[in-house]
Amino acid sequence: MGSLTSDIELKYNSDLLINPLDAEEYRRQGHMIIDFIADYYKNVEKYPVRSQVEPGYLRKRLPESAPYNPESMETILQDVQEHIVPGITHWQSPNYFAYFPSSGSIAGFLGEMLSSGFNVVGFNWISSPAATELENVVMDWLGQMLKLPKSFLFSGNGGGVIQGTTCEAILCTLTAARDRVLNKIGRENISKLVVYGSDQTHCALQKAAQIVGIDVKNFRAIKTTKSSSYGLSPDSLMAQINSDIEAGLIPLFLCATIGTTAITAVDPLKPLCDVAKQFGIWVHVDAAYAGSACICPEFRHFIDGVEGADSFSLNAHKWFFTTLDCCCLWVKDPSDLVSSLSTNPEYLKNKATESKQVVDYKDWQITLSRRFRSLKLWFVLRNYGVENLSHFLRSHVNMAKLFERLVGSDKRFEVVFPRHFAVVCFRVSPSAVMDKLKTKYENCLLSEEERINEFNREILESINASGKAYMTHAVLGGIYAIRFAAGATLTEERHVMVAWTVVQEHLEALLSASKP
């Protein structure tokens, strides 16, 4: 690798200029990249799933400054293999079971490549009509696959937009809800607005509330309980709303979740929407992870009641084989977004916009510029079709069921929260190891529950440090649980079996190390 520091002074010479878009050179180097990625996927199972590097590793390996002279793609790719790949946590590994999946696919990759190749900036219709109109089409297609009410589709006066992430979707809808209310009661009353979610709602809601100016004291994370399977109770919501109204506050926005981050709990949409409707509260449904599964008839009931919501979003880049970033957001009344997020400077004025016959997506999002994201979703929908996509999703749920059965077959372990979709939350059972833990932690001032939590934390860290599998954790009701999330595109049943063997081996190793 080179460096900026050089004693050679290049004088202007047209022969030295490189055409950054030379077609034949692109063809040659593009083939190299495709081959590199194909080889990566051929070997991805061999890599430690979680990166094993230490913080700051890359700065020690790379030069202190950029190269002064051009370097070949061959040299760059060699450095990618030697220095970048070791620092990657391999989300596409078949042994990846952490967080939520980021399932990839050939169609998604190639659609992304085409989007990057066109490199259009589709902020309004006139800037690239196909970018806008394809997004209109695929959002209606996916909405129909989910059996969303027609009021969410362009064909029914609603509409869909592809955002970057759920954070953006929530921020945009919360901004629209805020302005809709403040335009009626006066902007000076912003300090009275209240935002509602459960204690299991994604932190994106709290962040969005901070950004739009909601008083931190008016953010409600309503406690959930085991009796409601950690879904938000409509009675608890009603009680909180009534308390806020009595205090002179104004209920504004509710975020209901289908598949919470920690344990994939499900909020009961219909009764929550019924409560919210009484007070004119905007309801956003966050189905970032689990929404994809609802294209399958057997899972569609999880979003029953969505007709009472104002907006709905899912992340196609999680469990729908479409590369990051691709958050699909539908709204019943696009004019709410447009009135809050639109700008109309002179340099963007054009006849198409003034005709009111087109969508200008710049007015549906935070940023002005936007990528041609709909291409990759279009590729995925067309190249696999509804039947195959449904089959892929069902296969992951079946893998999670298999893992759940394996946990249940070993008395040393227990499933600690109900399984929804393809995530299993389990731990080492206290009854199986508590006697041994008294010795292991005899000098620690820990309660029994704290001891079992610490032991499960140690097991998880040991598993992840081995590189053989990667899982993450959740803490709920004082219980530390290990999360097994099936959904990586390359995962097969044999990988599930291997992961379970790895879990058992690391339990036995820790128990052996705990013997006096």
Side-chain angles (χ1 to χ4, degrees):
M1 266 189 250
S3 161
L4 269 176
T5 55
S6 174
D7 296 325
I8 301 174
E9 230 179 84
L10 289 179
K11 297 181 178 178
Y12 176 78
N13 185 335
S14 60
D15 293 337
L16 296 177
L17 294 180
I18 298 173
N19 178 2
L21 284 176
D22 179 82
E24 292 310 312
E25 191 60 23
Y26 176 72
R27 193 186 313 277
R28 185 186 74 84
Q29 295 187 24
H31 285 173
M32 292 171 57
I33 294 292
I34 292 291
D35 287 342
F36 183 92
I37 295 172
D39 287 340
Y40 168 76
Y41 278 102
K42 195 173 181 179
N43 296 296
V44 68
E45 190 171 349
K46 300 175 184 177
Y47 295 118
V49 190
R50 192 187 71 177
S51 174
Q52 305 293 301
V53 302
E54 296 295 328
Y57 90 100
L58 193 56
R59 185 169 289 277
K60 297 174 184 177
R61 297 190 182 195
L62 299 185
E64 294 183 359
S65 54
Y68 189 76
N69 295 315
E71 295 182 341
S72 70
M73 187 58 65
E74 289 85 350
T75 299
I76 297 169
L77 283 178
Q78 182 179 345
D79 286 339
V80 170
Q81 185 63 51
E82 292 180 5
H83 305 306
I84 302 302
V85 171
I88 292 175
T89 288
H90 301 282
W91 286 65
Q92 305 307 316
S93 169
N95 299 309
Y96 179 96
F97 305 104
Y99 303 109
F100 285 129
S102 179
S103 55
S105 66
I106 294 171
F109 298 155
L110 296 181
E112 184 73 71
M113 182 185 297
L114 196 59
S115 173
S116 296
F118 287 144
N119 200 28
V120 303
V121 185
F123 43 77
N124 60 10
W125 182 88
I126 198 70
S127 65
S128 275
T132 294
E133 296 197 12
L134 185 62
E135 192 159 332
N136 296 169
V137 170
V138 297
M139 289 301 290
D140 267 11
W141 280 8
L142 185 52
Q144 291 164 4
M145 291 164 61
L146 292 161
K147 292 183 169 55
L148 291 182
K150 194 170 183 179
S151 55
F152 279 107
L153 309 181
F154 284 105
S155 55
N157 297 319
V161 55
I162 301 178
Q163 304 277 355
T165 66
T166 299
C167 299
E168 295 171 41
I170 292 176
L171 179 56
C172 289
T173 52
L174 181 52
T175 302
R178 177 200 66 186
D179 291 347
R180 187 172 71 176
V181 170
L182 292 182
N183 288 340
K184 295 177 182 177
I185 66 173
R187 303 195 73 84
E188 68 277 7
N189 289 304
I190 189 172
S191 62
K192 296 181 180 180
L193 301 181
V194 185
V195 170
Y196 301 88
S198 82
D199 58 0
Q200 299 305 301
T201 302
H202 194 278
C203 62
L205 179 63
Q206 184 175 6
K207 186 171 187 177
Q210 292 171 196
I211 292 172
V212 304
I214 303 300
D215 192 318
V216 66
K217 298 191 298 294
N218 293 349
F219 180 82
R220 306 285 181 255
I222 300 171
K223 184 175 176 57
T224 57
T225 62
K226 185 177 181 180
S227 63
S228 64
S229 298
Y230 298 99
L232 177 56
S233 161
D235 291 339
S236 298
L237 175 64
M238 177 68 87
Q240 184 63 67
I241 290 172
N242 285 331
S243 174
D244 289 332
I245 291 175
E246 288 176 12
L249 301 175
I250 301 170
L252 173 69
F253 188 94
L254 166 67
C255 182
T257 307
I258 307 300
T260 58
T261 303
I263 65 167
T264 67
V266 175
D267 291 340
L269 283 190
K270 189 178 187 312
L272 290 174
C273 289
D274 289 343
V275 170
K277 186 177 181 180
Q278 298 178 43
F279 304 96
I281 296 172
W282 182 301
V283 179
H284 176 73
V285 179
D286 170 16
Y289 158 67
S292 298
C294 294
I295 68 168
C296 302
E298 65 268 33
F299 299 121
R300 174 57 177 76
H301 67 92
F302 284 110
I303 59 172
D304 285 353
V306 68
E307 62 273 7
D310 297 272
S311 52
F312 175 90
S313 66
L314 66 82
N315 287 350
H317 59 248
K318 276 191 168 69
W319 199 15
F320 207 66
F321 313 98
T322 308
T323 55
L324 186 74
D325 50 0
C326 190
C327 173
C328 300
L329 167 67
W330 291 266
V331 291
K332 277 184 176 175
D333 190 350
S335 67
D336 286 326
L337 288 180
V338 173
S339 63
S340 286
L341 303 173
S342 66
T343 53
N344 191 30
E346 182 62 36
Y347 52 82
L348 293 182
K349 291 180 180 178
N350 61 87
K351 289 183 179 179
T353 296
E354 292 166 4
S355 75
K356 307 295 184 183
Q357 296 179 351
V358 301
V359 172
D360 286 344
Y361 273 127
K362 70 180 180 62
D363 300 329
W364 294 47
Q365 62 178 29
I366 299 166
T367 62
L368 173 66
S369 300
R370 64 196 324 270
R371 299 169 58 243
F372 198 168
R373 293 190 188 102
S374 57
L375 266 176
K376 58 189 175 185
L377 183 54
W378 189 50
F379 271 42
V380 167
L381 294 177
R382 294 190 62 192
N383 203 222
Y384 304 121
V386 179
E387 183 177 6
N388 274 325
L389 290 167
S390 300
H391 173 73
F392 293 151
L393 295 164
R394 290 186 181 109
S395 72
H396 295 146
V397 174
N398 289 334
M399 290 179 203
K401 289 179 178 179
L402 169 61
F403 191 85
E404 186 178 37
R405 290 195 298 272
L406 292 170
V407 172
S409 68
D410 189 329
K411 293 182 180 180
R412 298 173 298 175
F413 295 88
E414 61 182 4
V415 175
V416 289
F417 302 114
R419 180 196 55 77
H420 287 121
F421 311 106
V423 175
V424 180
C425 296
F426 71 103
R427 68 170 178 172
V428 176
S429 173
S431 61
V433 297
M434 192 54 74
D435 288 344
K436 296 182 176 64
L437 297 189
K438 288 179 181 178
T439 302
K440 179 177 176 62
Y441 300 116
E442 62 181 346
N443 296 321
C444 301
L445 299 176
L446 299 176
S447 67
E448 287 192 356
E449 192 63 50
E450 289 171 335
R451 290 180 183 185
I452 194 64
N453 284 348
E454 178 62 18
F455 188 70
N456 278 282
R457 187 197 65 76
E458 286 187 34
I459 287 179
L460 178 59
E461 180 53 37
S462 176
I463 291 168
N464 292 340
S466 75
K468 295 178 180 178
Y470 185 32
M471 304 175 204
T472 45
H473 75 281
V475 178
L476 186 56
I479 296 175
Y480 183 104
I482 302 171
R483 294 172 73 261
F484 174 91
T489 307
L490 296 173
T491 302
E492 301 172 3
E493 284 193 1
R494 64 184 177 91
H495 299 106
V496 175
M497 300 295 293
V498 168
W500 175 241
T501 300
V502 169
V503 170
Q504 291 178 309
E505 289 173 350
H506 282 266
L507 169 61
E508 290 157 6
L510 280 177
L511 289 177
S512 297
S514 302
K515 291 179 181 178

